[in-house]
């Protein structure tokens, strides 16, 4: 397979190159390669995008999403690799569920899907899950996503065990006692709507706790979906001291503020909640200065039945796989905050390095995982067009720039947009 006349995003910059793949790997990169190929004139080719934080809902909540529909959404969104969170039913807290996901992903055969194991049995926060057995079955990290591990000593043990097995802990940071039923960020819009708010400290306290543990124990930790300006600052200061902390944020945190819930749009109900302009700008600055390593969608598909209800009863989460690239390109690269190589780093290079996955760069010998996008195309988000079963997006009707045209995984085309 050859991609022709592409603008290729490499670590060194963007270059006009042809790319030849052989046996699933990049075999040649040159200005002009002989032979038939896919014409990529006008397209920009990124290393296959990697989303290290998605929810696929299988097993247990297949009405919301399943591994196949989630994988279709992933390749349509430009992702060649995704990592799925363990808050399924049953919870992915053992090798049986982890193996099930690995096998089902292989049968579906679209993108690479890496399961993330739970930290505690049943995500109940009582006993550690069998981390080594989950790793042997294919888990690439552990996480209690959806909540934090309440008991600090248990979290310390989890970090130690995870490190012994070469896995990272991915931390959803939320002090449940402070959130105490809050459904939005506490501020002007919680007062305006009468919805119960939760303060930044609910997130920041656990970010600080995980940093303290990582620092004291000399172990790595990864902070999920950073949403507060103060959380960004905690991570920045920790990194400056040499703490082995990495962090992600999501497109909704650098695109929206809590103004999105002013009219009770349950599609903007997400955890952690959308915050204020000050937070949004700090998240962008964190991405720019390297405090925030990467972008993940926190793809959280829900059924209409879970969202088309009174705000307090609606599920938390945004279906994000199919808007992540365009929102990131529009908000960060087209705006000038990040260069194209920096965007590729946030959406591919960094997640690969954080989790120790192969991929994340375009070079001879690397897996032929490639994402081609038209960066000049402007389009309007329409959830009816999503491959995901989750149509829950606060971005419906929004105009964005940058459209994924082609996703290649191990040298095979797994998604190609139909041409008009
Ligand atoms: O908004 C969210 N949705 N936040 C979470 O932590 C969990 C996720 C889900 O599983 O729906
Ligand atoms: Zn989470
Ligand atoms: Zn999540």
């Amino acid at each position: 397979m050859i991609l022709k006349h592409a603008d290729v995003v490499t670590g060194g910059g963007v270059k006009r190159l042809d790319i030849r793949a052989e046996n699933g790997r990049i075999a040649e990169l040159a200005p002009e390669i002989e032979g038939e190929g896919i014409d990529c004139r006008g397209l920009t080719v990124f290393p296959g995008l990697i989303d290290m934080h998605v929810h696929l809902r299988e097993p247990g909540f297949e009405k919301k999403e399943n591994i196949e529909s989630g994988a279709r959404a992933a390749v349509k969104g430009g992702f060649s690799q995704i990592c799925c969170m363990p808050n399924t039913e049953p919870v992915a807290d053992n090798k049986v569920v982890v193996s099930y996901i690995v096998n089902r992903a292989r049968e579906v055969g679209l993108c690479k899907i890496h399961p993330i194991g739970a930290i505690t049995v049943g995500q109940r926060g009582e006993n550690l899950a069998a981390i080594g057995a989950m790793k042997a079955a294919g888990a690439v990290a552990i996480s209690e996503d959806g909540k934090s591990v309440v008991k600090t000593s248990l979290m310390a043990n989890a970090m130690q065990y995870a490190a012994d097995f070469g896995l990272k802990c991915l931390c959803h940071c939320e002090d449940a006692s402070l959130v105490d039923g809050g459904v939005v960020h506490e501020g002007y819009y919680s007062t305006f709507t009468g919805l119960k708010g939760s303060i930044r400290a609910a997130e920041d306290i656990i970010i600080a706790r995980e940093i303290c543990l990582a620092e004291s124990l000399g172990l790595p930790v990864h902070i999920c979906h950073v949403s507060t300006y103060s959380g960004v600052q905690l991570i920045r200061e920790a990194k400056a001291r040499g703490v082995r902390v990495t962090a992600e944020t999501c497109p909704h945190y650098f695109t929206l503020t809590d103004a999105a819930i002013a009219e009770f749009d349950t599609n903007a109900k997400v955890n952690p909640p959308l915050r204020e302009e000050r937070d949004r700008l700090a998240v962008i600055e964190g991405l720019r200065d390297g405090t925030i390593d990467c972008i993940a969608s926190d793809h959280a598909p829900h059924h209409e039945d879970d969202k088309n209800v009174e705000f307090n009863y609606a599920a938390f989460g945004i279906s994000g796989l199919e808007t992540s690239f365009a929102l990131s390109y529009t908000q960060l690269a087209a705006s000038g905050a990040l260069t194209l190589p920096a965007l590729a780093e946030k959406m591919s290079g960094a997640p690969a390095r954080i989790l120790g996955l192969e991929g994340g760069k375009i070079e001879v010998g690397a897996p032929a995982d490639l994402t081609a996008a038209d960066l000049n195309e402007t389009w309007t988000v329409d959830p009816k067009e999503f491959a995901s079963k989750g149509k829950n997006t606060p971005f419906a009707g929004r105009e964005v720039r940058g459209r994924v045209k082609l996703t290649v995984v191990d040298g095979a085309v797994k998604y190609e947009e139909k041409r008009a």
Side-chain angles (χ1 to χ4, degrees):
M1 193 210 57
I2 305 177
L3 300 187
K4 298 260 210 191
H5 317 299
D7 289 318
V8 181
V9 183
T10 67
V14 184
K15 299 180 194 131
R16 176 65 59 88
L17 290 170
D18 291 359
I19 306 174
R20 184 169 61 82
E22 206 177 290
N23 300 323
R25 295 196 171 259
I26 297 174
E28 192 179 354
L29 283 165
E32 193 68 67
I33 298 174
E34 292 283 306
E36 291 287 293
I38 302 172
D39 186 3
C40 290
R41 223 174 293 253
L43 301 185
T44 303
V45 174
F46 292 83
L49 305 182
I50 302 174
D51 193 336
M52 64 180 290
H53 187 150
V54 310
H55 297 266
L56 295 179
R57 308 301 190 200
E58 183 177 350
F61 304 105
E62 292 86 351
K63 191 167 107 170
K64 295 175 191 273
E65 189 82 291
N66 61 33
I67 289 168
E68 180 170 6
S69 61
R72 277 193 201 292
V75 293
K76 194 163 178 208
F79 295 95
S80 58
Q81 305 195 64
I82 58 177
C83 304
C84 57
M85 285 295 177
N87 60 339
T88 49
E89 177 59 49
V91 170
D93 62 2
N94 63 75
K95 64 181 180 187
V96 177
V97 179
V98 170
S99 305
Y100 171 80
I101 295 166
V102 167
N103 291 330
R104 186 67 198 119
R106 202 170 288 143
E107 283 167 14
V108 167
L110 288 166
C111 59
K112 298 170 201 172
I113 298 178
H114 308 286
I116 296 164
I119 295 178
T120 70
V121 175
Q123 292 190 298
R124 282 192 294 275
E126 292 159 4
N127 299 103
L128 284 188
I131 297 166
M134 293 193 292
K135 162 148 184 170
V140 296
I142 57 171
S143 178
E144 204 81 327
D145 190 47
K147 55 180 135 180
S148 293
V149 174
V150 174
K151 196 171 165 189
T152 305
S153 58
L154 192 59
M155 190 62 201
N157 274 341
M159 278 190 197
Q160 191 67 65
Y161 271 94
D164 288 347
F165 291 110
L167 298 180
K168 286 226 166 93
C169 284
L170 317 183
C171 301
H172 170 116
C173 298
E174 176 179 4
D175 182 314
S177 71
L178 264 181
V179 172
D180 190 27
V183 291
V184 294
H185 170 70
E186 182 169 310
Y188 174 84
Y189 286 99
S190 62
T191 307
F192 178 78
T193 56
L195 294 167
K196 185 168 164 64
S198 91
I199 57 176
R200 292 184 184 87
E203 178 171 346
D204 299 342
I205 283 168
I206 306 293
I207 294 178
R209 182 191 75 168
E210 313 306 38
I211 286 171
C212 288
L213 287 173
E215 186 165 16
S216 281
L217 301 170
L219 297 170
V221 72
H222 177 82
I223 307 297
C224 292
H225 43 52
V226 178
S227 75
T228 63
Y229 78 84
S230 32
V232 174
Q233 186 58 16
L234 285 166
I235 295 162
R236 181 179 289 123
E237 289 164 4
K239 283 190 169 186
R241 297 198 295 281
V243 181
R244 295 164 67 193
V245 57
T246 54
E248 72 192 31
T249 191
C250 315
H252 37 278
Y253 300 119
F254 57 70
T255 307
L256 298 175
T257 65
D258 56 351
I261 60 95
E263 289 173 30
F264 300 91
D265 180 3
T266 59
N267 288 319
K269 180 178 177 182
V270 63
N271 189 18
L274 299 172
R275 302 201 190 263
E276 300 177 26
E277 185 64 3
R278 172 179 192 183
D279 302 282
R280 191 182 76 84
L281 295 174
V283 164
I284 294 175
E285 182 52 27
L287 284 161
R288 235 189 36 73
D289 74 7
T291 301
I292 301 179
D293 302 85
C294 63
I295 299 167
S297 70
D298 196 6
H299 177 70
H302 288 292
H303 191 268
E304 156 102 30
D305 295 351
D306 308 310
K307 282 290 196 181
N308 196 8
V309 294
E310 205 183 308
F311 200 95
N312 284 322
Y313 298 107
F316 289 94
I318 292 173
S319 180
L321 277 168
E322 291 163 86
T323 52
S324 187
F325 174 75
L327 290 169
S328 301
Y329 177 71
T330 305
Q331 295 294 310
L332 304 172
S335 71
L338 295 183
T339 62
L340 290 179
L343 182 66
E345 163 71 9
K346 302 293 180 193
M347 300 194 76
S348 185
R353 238 177 302 107
I354 290 167
L355 295 176
L357 303 174
E358 236 201 331
K361 45 190 164 207
I362 298 181
E363 62 184 29
V364 170
D369 292 351
L370 302 160
T371 301
D374 182 344
L375 301 183
N376 292 314
E377 185 171 332
T378 296
W379 56 285
T380 303
V381 176
D382 178 1
K384 287 199 295 294
E385 290 175 2
F386 282 3
S388 171
K389 291 192 192 188
K391 313 299 180 192
N392 50 304
T393 175
F395 298 109
R398 190 182 187 96
E399 203 170 86
V400 290
R401 218 174 119 189
R403 178 101 184 156
V404 172
K405 296 289 175 180
L406 182 74
T407 305
V408 174
V409 182
D410 288 334
V413 174
K414 296 297 183 177
Y415 170 75
E416 187 167 13
E417 189 181 67
K418 289 186 210 82
R419 296 187 197 216

